[in-house]
Amino acid sequence: MLRKRTHVGILALAFAAMLLFCVVFGGQQAYAQTAEERGGEAVEDVDADSGIEARLFTNLTLSIGGSNGEVWAEVRNDFTLGFATVMVYVELYSSASYYESHTNMRLENRTFTSDLNIFQTVGVSAPTGGVQRYWLARMRFKINSGEWEDRVTNAWLFDGDGNVLDL
């Protein structure tokens, strides 16, 4: 019986050490599989490590990519430690000219989720219409009662088929 208690104690200690490691060093980015499911690879991923609130840590990844005549933006909750409500807006912008800010671009599509759970993804897409344009992805997020924050990708040039072009 003592041997069984020792094993349980060692497992509990290892689990606590793993949780502490995740809080200190953040979650791993695990986006590639989702990008492949969309039929293409992500062009850019932007991490948003947020919310150290009473044992709380959330790691969100914003990605932009395209293929098959469309461009898409996705946000994935890579890791959440503790219980959290993660509200997320995902927006996709385009423009014929290059701009560093989404404020000068046209909003193509937007979606919202009131709670993006761990390992879940929310995203939007828009057709290219066969036209070469610059595209940018933006996320606005709020964790529990925290402040709204936002992150954006760089603006990327996509051809009419949804393929990224080298700048």
Side-chain angles (χ1 to χ4, degrees):
M1 188 64 146
L2 180 60
R3 183 176 291 175
K4 192 174 197 178
R5 285 185 187 166
T6 304
H7 288 290
V8 171
I10 290 171
L11 286 173
L13 185 60
F15 182 73
M18 182 178 68
L19 286 177
L20 180 62
F21 178 82
C22 289
V23 168
V24 173
F25 296 105
Q28 289 288 334
Q29 198 175 91
Y31 186 77
Q33 183 178 18
T34 303
E36 289 171 10
E37 290 171 3
R38 296 273 316 173
E41 292 188 26
V43 174
E44 179 179 7
D45 295 333
V46 177
D47 279 335
D49 297 332
S50 294
I52 303 297
E53 282 181 23
R55 298 178 14 236
L56 180 64
F57 174 81
T58 299
N59 184 14
L60 303 173
T61 301
L62 169 66
S63 298
I64 187 170
S67 63
N68 300 321
E70 72 176 13
V71 175
W72 49 265
E74 291 181 336
V75 174
R76 177 180 163 91
N77 183 339
D78 292 320
F79 184 80
T80 295
L81 178 62
F83 297 101
T85 299
V86 182
M87 292 181 275
V88 179
Y89 285 94
V90 184
E91 299 172 342
L92 190 59
Y93 294 85
S94 77
S95 174
S97 301
Y98 176 83
Y99 295 104
E100 289 185 10
S101 172
H102 69 282
T103 58
N104 298 318
M105 301 174 83
R106 185 173 114 196
L107 178 63
E108 296 289 343
N109 204 348
R110 171 191 292 158
T111 193
F112 171 78
T113 183
S114 59
D115 191 9
L116 185 60
N117 292 316
I118 188 169
F119 307 128
Q120 297 298 305
T121 301
V122 61
V124 295
S125 64
T128 63
V131 178
Q132 177 176 300
R133 289 184 281 177
Y134 291 91
W135 293 79
L136 177 144
R138 178 180 183 224
M139 74 171 158
R140 294 191 67 233
F141 62 96
K142 179 178 179 178
I143 301 169
N144 290 334
S145 59
E147 297 293 320
W148 282 99
E149 299 181 46
D150 70 297
R151 301 289 186 277
V152 296
T153 64
N154 292 318
W156 290 89
L157 183 61
F158 286 84
D159 66 16
D161 292 326
N163 302 309
V164 70
L165 300 174
D166 292 328
L167 299 177

